């Protein structure tokens, strides 16, 4: 379900948030907040058989741009489409775990143990969430030690891919929430991923590090994972009422073109409210603009992905 505002453009008083679909009456072309003609994304057909999973890393070395929010809510929206989704909390801050109502300090086993202890299996660490079909490999501050300890490992960039591989046949999608850095943990995520999604806050400082991030992705493609693709850049925390927000979004589209998702995630207080409640926004406030935006992102993402049979490695 999407919100359509007829006869208005993003940033005008009758459509202040740049709702997910906007009609421009002058030529009848349906434009979204990115100011591009917007395709209609079909309703996905639930798969008859689950797996193997497409692995997607959420990466941006700048913090606070919506990586964790997108991981949780895109995952929940994909579950609504009939997919089975695995979330990997790969940030020592454990925000993904907290956002799903789990206290990282009370965990006996986390992704850290999975990486560093050979007798720990992925099934030992795996947790069910409050959303049926959405499972989690949790994390806590212990993971910060792995960045140093992995340096001495053979094939240290491939450790994450090795330990999660047994789980992938049972899921359709695996989303990895990376820490805000381009260190060894993030390289591990990029090495085992089929695609990388870049949440990007619509403000000037968020643009500065994109060139470095793209350079890192290019090096991983050349040296470690030639199958890695850029899924797209996702504009987050967008407020069309501000000239700055509209200008930043326009610059992103100008620089990256079709790599920018048509779907834009607007700034709203319902996201932090849902985080406090430990739920995705799709269950916390299912009729909100934020929930509908992530449902539309799920449809757009699925329309870009190849058939599941191409996911096997």
């Amino acid at each position: 379900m999407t919100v359509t505002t007829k006869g208005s453009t993003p940033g005008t008083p009758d459509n202040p948030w740049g709702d997910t679909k906007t009609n421009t009456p002058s030529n009848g072309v349906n434009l979204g907040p990115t100011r591009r003609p917007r395709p209609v994304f079909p309703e996905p057909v639930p798969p008859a058989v689950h797996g193997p999973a497409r692995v997607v890393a959420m990466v941006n070395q700048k913090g606070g741009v919506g990586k964790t929010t997108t991981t949780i809510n895109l995952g929940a929206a994909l579950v609504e489409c009939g997919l089975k989704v695995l979330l990997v909390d790969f940030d020592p801050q454990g925000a993904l775990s907290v956002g799903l109502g789990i206290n990282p300090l009370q965990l006996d086993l986390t992704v850290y143990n999975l990486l560093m202890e050979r007798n720990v299996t992925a099934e030992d660490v795996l947790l069910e969430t409050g959303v049926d079909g959405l499972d989690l490999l949790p994390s806590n501050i212990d993971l910060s030690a792995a960045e140093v300890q992995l340096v001495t490992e053979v094939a240290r960039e491939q450790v994450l891919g090795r330990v999660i591989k047994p789980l992938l046949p049972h899921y359709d999608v695996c989303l990895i929430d990376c820490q805000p850095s381009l260190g060894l943990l993030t390289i591990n995520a990029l090495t085992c991923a089929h695609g990388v999604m870049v949440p990007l806050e619509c403000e000037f400082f968020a643009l500065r590090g994109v060139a470095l991030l793209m350079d890192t992705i290019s090096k991983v493609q050349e040296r470690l994972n030639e199958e890695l693709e850029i899924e797209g850049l996702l504009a987050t925390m967008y407020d069309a009422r501000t000239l700055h927000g509209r200008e930043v979004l326009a610059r992103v589209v100008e620089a990256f073109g079709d790599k920018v998702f048509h779907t834009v995630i607007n700034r709203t207080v319902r996201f932090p409210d849902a985080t406090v409640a430990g739920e995705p926004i799709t269950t916390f406030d299912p009729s909100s603009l934020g929930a509908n935006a992530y449902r539309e992102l799920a449809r757009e993402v699925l329309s870009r992905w190849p058939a599941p049979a191409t996911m096997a490695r």
Side-chain angles (χ1 to χ4, degrees):
M1 178 178 178
T2 55
V3 178
T4 302
T5 306
K6 293 187 177 180
S8 66
T9 54
T12 54
D14 57 340
N15 184 17
W17 296 97
D19 292 342
T20 53
K21 283 188 178 179
T22 306
N23 290 332
T24 302
S26 59
N27 56 10
V29 177
N30 189 23
L31 299 180
T34 63
R35 311 302 298 152
R36 294 174 295 172
R38 183 167 197 160
V40 176
F41 304 111
E43 289 292 335
V45 178
V49 179
H50 296 291
R54 181 175 181 87
V55 182
V56 178
M58 295 286 178
V59 179
N60 192 326
Q61 74 269 33
K62 186 180 185 301
V65 298
K67 291 189 296 293
T68 301
T69 298
T70 296
T71 304
I72 293 173
N73 295 303
L74 176 58
L78 290 170
V79 167
E80 288 187 354
C81 295
L83 280 67
K84 290 192 67 176
V85 179
L86 172 65
L87 304 183
V88 180
D89 190 348
F90 216 47
D91 184 349
Q93 298 177 77
L96 180 63
S97 303
V98 172
L100 288 167
I102 296 166
N103 185 348
L105 301 179
Q106 296 179 349
L107 296 172
D108 294 325
L109 294 175
T110 67
V111 170
Y112 169 78
N113 304 96
L114 184 59
L115 292 175
M116 306 309 304
E117 300 175 17
R118 294 191 178 277
N119 62 330
V120 175
T121 66
E123 289 79 6
D124 296 332
V125 180
L126 190 67
L127 297 177
E128 294 182 350
T129 70
V131 179
D132 189 31
L134 186 69
D135 296 335
L136 171 70
L137 292 176
S139 172
N140 60 21
I141 193 63
D142 292 344
L143 185 60
S144 59
E147 189 102 40
V148 176
Q149 295 172 341
L150 284 174
V151 171
T152 60
E153 289 284 323
V154 176
R156 56 184 177 269
E157 300 92 350
Q158 301 171 4
V159 176
L160 177 62
R162 175 176 55 80
V163 297
I164 68 171
K165 186 176 182 179
L167 292 179
L168 299 184
H170 307 293
Y171 295 90
D172 302 299
V173 181
C174 173
L175 302 178
I176 305 174
D177 183 29
C178 297
Q179 64 176 344
S181 84
L182 297 178
L184 186 53
L185 293 181
T186 300
I187 298 301
N188 259 264
L190 293 174
T191 301
C192 71
H194 298 97
V196 53
M197 187 178 297
V198 184
L200 184 69
E201 183 183 3
C202 290
E203 67 96 26
F204 174 72
F205 288 111
L207 288 174
R208 300 184 64 192
V210 175
L212 177 60
L213 173 59
M214 292 302 169
D215 183 58
T216 300
I217 292 172
S218 178
K219 289 179 179 178
V220 172
Q221 289 171 324
E222 292 173 3
R223 305 174 188 179
L224 296 168
N225 181 6
E226 62 182 15
E227 298 178 14
L228 182 66
E229 301 176 355
I230 298 176
E231 302 280 352
L233 288 84
L234 174 67
T236 64
M237 304 182 192
Y238 179 63
D239 185 349
R241 299 174 298 181
T242 67
L243 176 61
H244 180 71
R246 297 196 300 271
E247 287 179 340
V248 169
L249 181 54
R251 288 185 61 183
V252 172
V253 174
E254 180 182 356
F256 296 99
D258 289 340
K259 286 296 184 182
V260 181
F261 287 106
H262 290 273
T263 306
V264 169
I265 309 301
N266 300 308
R267 189 184 296 274
T268 169
V269 73
R270 302 308 280 166
F271 288 126
D273 287 347
T275 299
V276 171
E279 298 180 51
I281 197 168
T282 51
T283 59
F284 177 76
D285 192 354
S287 62
S288 65
L289 286 177
N292 287 332
Y294 274 108
R295 292 185 183 111
E296 188 162 353
L297 176 64
R299 290 192 291 271
E300 181 172 2
V301 163
L302 290 173
S303 73
R304 294 188 177 201
W305 285 351
T310 65
M311 296 301 99
R313 287 242 171 124

